[in-house]
Amino acid sequence: MQEVVRNPSRRVRHRRGEHGGFVYEFSRSSSAGRLIVVAEVKQHECWLITGWRE
């Protein structure tokens, strides 16, 4: 999950988060399928919310 947030193939901003950052949907494809991670990012901090495989 951390690697998807650090180096995504796609990033979509959704809303403001509870910690004052922005909530993004990160996604990245691999041989095992596509991994999607929703996380809040504020400067150098990150709070993972959820993640799943498609």
Side-chain angles (χ1 to χ4, degrees), residues 11-15 22-26 37-41:
R11 182 177 79 170
V12 178
R13 187 166 80 178
H14 284 278
R15 59 181 168 83
F22 286 101
V23 175
Y24 292 95
E25 179 182 309
F26 300 94
V37 177
V38 177
E40 180 180 348
V41 178

Side-chain angles (χ1 to χ4, degrees), residues 5-23:
V5 172
R6 285 186 188 133
N7 192 12
S9 59
R10 189 179 102 149
R11 182 177 79 170
V12 178
R13 187 166 80 178
H14 284 278
R15 59 181 168 83
R16 266 291 187 195
E18 295 179 9
H19 301 283
F22 286 101
V23 175

Side-chain angles (χ1 to χ4, degrees), residues 27-41:
S27 64
R28 184 172 183 180
S29 296
S30 68
S31 60
R34 185 178 182 151
L35 182 61
I36 299 171
V37 177
V38 177
E40 180 180 348
V41 178

